[in-house]
Amino acid sequence: MLERQTFQNKDLVLKVSNSYDPKRLDPNKYEAFLDALCGDREYQKEAIQVTLRYFLGGEYKNLRELAEENYHSNPKLQEKYLSFEDFLSCLQLPDKLSCSLDHATATGKSYVMYGIARIMLAEGAVDQVLVLCPSNTIEAGLTEKFRTLSGDRTLKDLLPADSKIANPRIINASSTIQKGDICIENIHATYINTKSAIEDSLVGKGERTLVLNDEAHHLMSPSDKALKKWKEFLLEPKYGFKFIVNVSGTCYIGDDYFTDVIHRFSLRDAIEAKFVKSIRYVAEDSSGSEDEKFQKIYDNHIENRTVKYRKVKPITILVTKNIAACKRLTDKLIAFLAKKEEITKEQAAEKVLIVTSAGEHKSNIPILRRVDDKDNPIEWIASVSMLSEGWDVKNVFQIVPHEERAFNSKLLIAQVLGRGLRVPEVYKGNQPVVTVFNHDKWS
């Protein structure tokens, strides 16, 4: 039996040549713009520069050429794949100028996407940008961020005077996409929403369109049937898309790392740079009954609230394997809180929010945007592992994986852990800690 091989993700990142045609690309033109956009986050600036060199430097016609160059120069890739043909078969979009950026959750991926979009438009390399994401929640967050950045006069003034497009509109696909637009849309709308203007606007214009795919692990490893059409849309000949960037903080298909990553800023990098919370892993739990376990979780929660993080309202997330388990856990938690705090079950229920994809819980998802507010009563969130991105709660200081089977892949673990990484404004620079309570896979 063959011994299982292990590879470090950093050894599988594709290196983009530092060479470029100066007639096609002058990266120095955008130094001031990138400094203002990225601040002290050099990794964001690097990711944007590497992507632009790949797209505009003139060294590559498609991902296939970049992959072949790397395969023949990287012994780790040769060790993992028996031949270049074997490696090629694992590339998702080899005939496009396609790539992936692996940046840990809470490290500002939207800034990187925005920077690439603005410079590709300014260079005149594309006429419009299409930003695709897997949910309405993520679409709303990206739209707000892009509009804020577009309204920043300093950023606009720092673009070169000869920029081909300096004032892009930020729209969604209910409007006709015109030259100079950045259209942000839920992927489902590209083939479900009859009001979508994407087909009318982009047929035959793919070569002059930049496509940015946010939370791209859904594209590579779709969790539902509708998302399987995402890749089909990108490959649709009537559009002929050329420039494609996939962005994710969890670049995994199951336990396998993406094959087309050209820039990586890992969770370990983010923790060491103090851009996210550090992680305290509680390795063992000797609790007997479920009430004993609830008691320990409750004690941690109260310590966060009254001692460690009094400047905010700390939140604990409990994560289950499915909706039925989440509903049972929510009921038990409410009963425990009512007994422990000597309040009614109705009062306890006001402190607990259940978040799943079930229809009966859909109205709870918008509430997530407000749970950080001090005047909001919610302190506990019960969720399902599959519902794992698109909400940016910063006050999470404890995560409780409730069942081992809820986390059976690197993708799920990284996604759910990402919910607790963002740092509240009042603790920026101090690097607070998120506690993960009792699950061996998290180590």
Side-chain angles (χ1 to χ4, degrees):
M1 184 174 177
L2 289 173
E3 184 180 338
R4 180 177 172 82
Q5 294 173 297
T6 57
F7 300 90
Q8 290 187 294
N9 292 342
K10 65 180 182 180
D11 294 331
L12 304 178
V13 174
L14 305 183
K15 290 182 171 59
V16 174
S17 172
N18 288 318
S19 300
Y20 58 88
D21 182 349
K23 294 179 182 177
R24 301 180 58 160
L25 176 66
D26 178 9
N28 297 323
K29 285 168 60 176
Y30 298 98
E31 280 288 324
F33 170 78
L34 290 176
D35 285 342
L37 175 67
C38 303
D40 62 349
R41 301 190 176 208
E42 282 296 317
Y43 61 89
Q44 293 177 347
K45 189 174 175 180
E46 284 176 10
I48 295 167
Q49 290 170 327
V50 168
T51 305
L52 293 171
R53 209 162 60 241
Y54 172 50
F55 282 166
L56 306 179
E59 296 291 308
Y60 310 100
K61 293 177 184 172
N62 50 39
L63 174 59
R64 182 195 305 261
E65 292 190 359
L66 175 67
E68 186 165 15
E69 178 181 274
N70 275 265
Y71 182 80
H72 294 303
S73 63
N74 185 345
K76 291 293 183 182
L77 285 175
Q78 295 169 26
E79 190 180 340
K80 184 172 173 62
Y81 303 98
L82 297 178
S83 65
F84 173 65
E85 287 68 30
D86 184 24
F87 182 34
L88 183 62
S89 70
C90 296
L91 298 175
Q92 295 277 343
L93 301 165
D95 297 318
K96 309 287 186 182
L97 267 171
S98 172
C99 63
S100 293
L101 305 177
D102 175 13
H103 284 197
T105 299
T107 57
K109 296 188 291 294
S110 55
Y111 288 88
V112 174
M113 295 166 68
Y114 183 80
I116 294 169
R118 285 301 297 264
I119 293 176
M120 289 289 283
L121 288 169
E123 279 289 291
V126 296
D127 295 327
Q128 55 273 321
V129 178
L130 179 61
V131 183
L132 297 174
C133 52
S135 73
N136 289 330
T137 309
I138 298 171
E139 178 192 339
L142 278 176
T143 302
E144 181 181 359
K145 177 70 75 176
F146 273 46
R147 284 181 175 158
T148 299
L149 291 170
S150 283
D152 187 325
R153 183 79 191 187
T154 300
L155 290 177
K156 182 191 165 197
D157 289 346
L158 288 173
L159 285 169
D162 61 352
S163 293
K164 303 294 190 295
I165 297 170
N167 295 299
R169 287 193 309 165
I170 310 299
I171 64 167
N172 62 30
S174 61
S175 306
T176 300
I177 304 170
Q178 300 173 353
K179 183 174 180 178
D181 287 347
I182 297 177
C183 175
I184 303 172
E185 191 54 82
N186 173 358
I187 182 62
H188 299 271
T190 62
Y191 38 75
I192 294 174
N193 187 351
T194 55
K195 294 187 296 181
S196 173
I198 287 177
E199 183 162 0
D200 292 341
S201 304
L202 298 183
V203 168
K205 297 180 180 178
E207 289 236 347
R208 300 285 303 167
T209 301
L210 167 65
V211 182
L212 297 166
N213 298 304
D214 193 22
E215 304 295 353
H217 47 276
H218 290 288
L219 158 65
M220 304 295 191
S221 184
S223 54
D224 64 53
K225 290 181 181 178
L227 286 168
K228 289 183 179 177
K229 295 183 181 180
W230 194 341
K231 184 177 174 183
E232 294 173 17
F233 172 75
L234 297 177
L235 291 170
E236 175 58 58
K238 69 182 176 184
Y239 299 115
F241 294 123
K242 175 182 177 182
F243 300 108
I244 299 174
V245 181
N246 308 307
V247 185
S248 176
T250 49
C251 287
Y252 293 101
I253 302 174
D255 283 340
D256 292 324
Y257 195 57
F258 281 13
T259 51
D260 64 349
V261 174
I262 64 168
H263 192 271
R264 182 169 190 263
F265 190 71
S266 69
L267 176 55
R268 187 183 298 276
D269 294 331
I271 291 172
E272 289 178 356
K274 297 187 177 181
F275 289 133
V276 300
K277 294 172 187 157
S278 63
I279 301 164
R280 182 173 76 95
Y281 167 64
V282 180
E284 294 182 4
D285 173 32
S286 57
S287 302
S289 67
E290 191 161 47
D291 264 12
E292 284 182 37
K293 186 169 184 176
F294 272 138
Q295 183 63 55
K296 288 191 176 181
I297 295 165
Y298 183 81
D299 290 344
N300 289 343
H301 181 84
I302 296 303
E303 184 181 12
N304 284 335
R305 191 177 73 189
T306 60
V307 180
K308 293 181 178 178
Y309 305 111
R310 290 178 296 167
K311 294 179 183 178
V312 297
K313 182 195 64 177
I315 290 168
T316 291
I317 299 181
L318 300 94
V319 192
T320 66
K321 68 179 184 293
N322 57 39
I323 293 170
C326 195
K327 290 167 75 172
R328 287 194 300 271
L329 179 62
T330 301
D331 290 340
K332 289 178 181 178
L333 176 60
I334 289 170
F336 173 84
L337 290 175
K339 182 179 178 182
K340 181 70 183 176
E341 298 185 356
E342 298 180 347
I343 56 178
T344 66
K345 282 194 174 181
E346 289 74 20
Q347 289 171 318
E350 290 181 0
K351 299 186 176 191
V352 181
L353 184 70
I354 180 170
V355 184
T356 79
S357 55
E360 64 188 290
H361 302 142
K362 278 191 176 177
S363 60
N364 290 348
I365 294 176
I367 298 173
L368 283 168
R369 298 176 194 171
R370 304 193 305 272
V371 297
D372 277 343
D373 297 345
K374 276 201 167 185
D375 58 357
N376 186 296
I378 293 162
E379 297 180 35
W380 305 81
I381 297 173
S383 184
V384 177
S385 53
M386 70 184 76
L387 191 73
S388 48
E389 73 268 311
W391 42 288
D392 296 336
V393 178
K394 294 182 178 179
N395 291 359
V396 174
F397 289 96
Q398 182 173 217
I399 299 175
V400 184
H402 193 249
E403 304 121 327
E404 185 173 349
R405 284 179 297 169
F407 308 96
N408 55 9
S409 75
K410 292 177 182 177
L411 174 58
L412 274 181
I413 291 169
Q415 283 178 325
V416 178
L417 184 58
R419 297 310 97 220
L421 293 177
R422 297 181 190 278
V423 178
E425 291 299 322
V426 294
Y427 291 111
K428 286 281 174 72
N430 297 329
Q431 196 171 36
V433 176
V434 58
T435 297
V436 178
F437 187 84
N438 185 37
H439 196 293
D440 59 1
K441 281 186 179 277
W442 296 76
S443 62

